[in-house]
Amino acid sequence: MKQLAFASFTALTLSSCWNFNADLAECQKSGDCLTAAPPTLIASNPAHDSTDVAITTDFTLFFSEPMRTGSVVLTISPPVALKPAVFEEDGMSGVFEPLAQLSFSQLYTVSVSGKDIDGNDMTPASFSFTTQAAPDMTSPTLISTVPSNGLNNVAVTAKLILTFSEAIDPSSLSLENTAPQFDWGVGNGEWPIETRTVTLTPPQPMQGETMYVVPIAARDMAQNPLMGTNSVAFTTAKAPDTVPPEVVATAPLADAMMVSPNVSPSVTFSEAMDAAVMASSYFTIAPSVTCNFMWDPSTTTLTCSHPGQPLLMPNTAYTVTIGTSAKDKAGVALAAPFSFTFTTGMMQDTTPPTVMSTDPADGGTGVQACANIAVTFSESMDKTETQNAFSISSPAKTGE
């Protein structure tokens, strides 16, 4: 070190000018600059207790003061071979690069030793970290489907449930190539937390009696594509009848006039109806009429009959109403009540007229040859028809 020379105890003389900075650099280089405090490790990368550390990481150390770069030693457990350290010019930080990648999912402990530029041993230091898990290189597979592959008579409103061998990235699921084309509502799929199963509810029913082939594309969380069997095929059942029946014909016609009081009102539906439903619960006539209901063999025409007696009053307006209790074979009810009106005429005369009396009387004798002949009937007669039907005959003479 630079020495101070004393000429006497009463006078101080410098042998030369003292360049403090130059001498500091020289002693730092030689390690002769003595300090009292030992150096410490103030930070590391990876940090202590860090996890998921990349297997390609380097070790970067930060010290509290300049270090003798050749003295810094890293002891790693399990052992890791290192390249020569690269320190910053100030000697306060250095980078240690492994010769090879670290192991996956491995806990490493690093102990650091060394000296500062004054030769002081550093305070013992160590840090630990855990490397990342090995990447997932296994492709997911399709384990099961509902409906199952090859199933028949699948309801047209069925949901599609897919179960995979591992968690799936929901955004990767695609069923776009379904044949025939169909929207499964993938964007609204129901995924549990582990995302191994998805339930798809289509926004509309499938076609009835149709084979559907559903190719399935998906990726797991590591973006490995689906492998193995990746489609399902099934055939739907006949689509249920959801169309309400309608009244397509009436007898008499709506608004008909001069209808015979003996008429048997009827309605004809657009499809076969459920004859088990009591017709009296939905077929009504006003003014009130008692009906004997009869279906035709196809159960499409319902008649209000009245065997042996007139059903309706003459010169009366009647309204027939069919209520929504009327149902087709599938149980679908009439969408809205239906009604029609007709008006009856006079009662039809079905009683034959009779001859009440004649003049001359039947079997009379001594009647003048020029006498008029009169016939009295039981009711008014059609003049023309009656005259045309009238004739007189004379028996042949005998015994002359």
Side-chain angles (χ1 to χ4, degrees), residues 232-295:
V232 59
F234 54 85
T235 302
T236 55
K238 183 177 180 180
D241 178 8
T242 59
V243 179
E246 298 177 347
V247 175
V248 295
T250 65
L253 296 175
D255 299 324
M257 304 294 291
M258 300 301 295
V259 175
S260 169
N262 291 319
V263 70
S264 295
S266 67
V267 291
T268 299
F269 295 92
S270 57
E271 57 183 303
M273 302 295 286
D274 184 358
V277 179
M278 293 184 60
S280 59
S281 67
Y282 58 83
F283 191 124
T284 59
I285 302 179
S288 180
V289 172
T290 300
C291 295
N292 294 325
F293 292 104
M294 296 180 60
W295 284 101

Side-chain angles (χ1 to χ4, degrees), residues 100-391:
Q101 292 183 346
L102 304 179
S103 299
F104 290 110
S105 301
Q106 178 65 56
L107 173 64
Y108 286 93
T109 299
V110 182
S111 298
V112 185
S113 62
K115 296 178 181 293
D116 64 12
I117 59 174
D118 291 327
N120 297 310
D121 289 325
M122 68 176 289
T123 302
S126 65
F127 61 93
S128 298
F129 63 90
T130 302
T131 54
Q132 67 189 102
D136 178 6
M137 303 298 290
T138 303
S139 291
T141 58
L142 182 65
I143 294 178
S144 65
T145 66
V146 178
S148 59
N149 191 50
L151 188 65
N152 295 320
N153 294 319
V154 175
V156 297
T157 56
K159 298 181 179 181
L160 181 60
I161 303 175
L162 307 175
T163 300
F164 300 92
S165 60
E166 60 176 300
I168 294 295
D169 178 358
S171 67
S172 71
L173 181 64
S174 174
L175 280 65
E176 292 181 355
N177 295 322
T178 296
Q181 188 174 11
F182 186 70
D183 178 10
W184 288 102
V186 172
N188 296 318
E190 299 175 32
W191 295 87
I193 295 176
E194 69 276 11
T195 66
R196 288 184 61 242
T197 299
V198 60
T199 300
L200 303 175
T201 303
Q204 69 284 319
M206 293 176 278
Q207 300 175 23
E209 299 177 299
T210 302
M211 172 179 280
Y212 280 83
V213 178
V214 186
I216 302 164
R219 293 180 178 271
D220 64 14
M221 292 301 185
Q223 299 306 301
N224 297 307
L226 187 67
M227 299 295 288
T229 300
N230 59 357
S231 67
V232 59
F234 54 85
T235 302
T236 55
K238 183 177 180 180
D241 178 8
T242 59
V243 179
E246 298 177 347
V247 175
V248 295
T250 65
L253 296 175
D255 299 324
M257 304 294 291
M258 300 301 295
V259 175
S260 169
N262 291 319
V263 70
S264 295
S266 67
V267 291
T268 299
F269 295 92
S270 57
E271 57 183 303
M273 302 295 286
D274 184 358
V277 179
M278 293 184 60
S280 59
S281 67
Y282 58 83
F283 191 124
T284 59
I285 302 179
S288 180
V289 172
T290 300
C291 295
N292 294 325
F293 292 104
M294 296 180 60
W295 284 101
D296 72 336
S298 66
T299 65
T300 58
T301 298
L302 178 62
T303 302
C304 170
S305 64
H306 50 100
Q309 59 180 346
L311 176 64
L312 308 177
M313 297 181 294
N315 299 321
T316 302
Y318 284 91
T319 299
V320 178
T321 300
I322 307 299
T324 55
S325 295
K327 298 180 180 180
D328 63 17
K329 293 286 189 181
V332 181
L334 207 67
F338 174 88
S339 63
F340 68 100
T341 301
F342 62 91
T343 302
T344 57
M346 292 296 295
M347 183 69 70
Q348 183 178 357
D349 183 3
T350 59
T351 303
T354 58
V355 174
M356 302 294 292
S357 63
T358 61
D359 184 17
D362 183 31
T365 60
V367 177
Q368 294 182 1
C370 60
N372 292 329
I373 299 174
V375 178
T376 302
F377 296 93
S378 58
E379 58 182 303
S380 299
M381 302 295 290
D382 184 289
K383 179 179 179 180
T384 302
E385 293 293 333
T386 303
Q387 287 178 342
N388 290 337
F390 195 91
S391 64

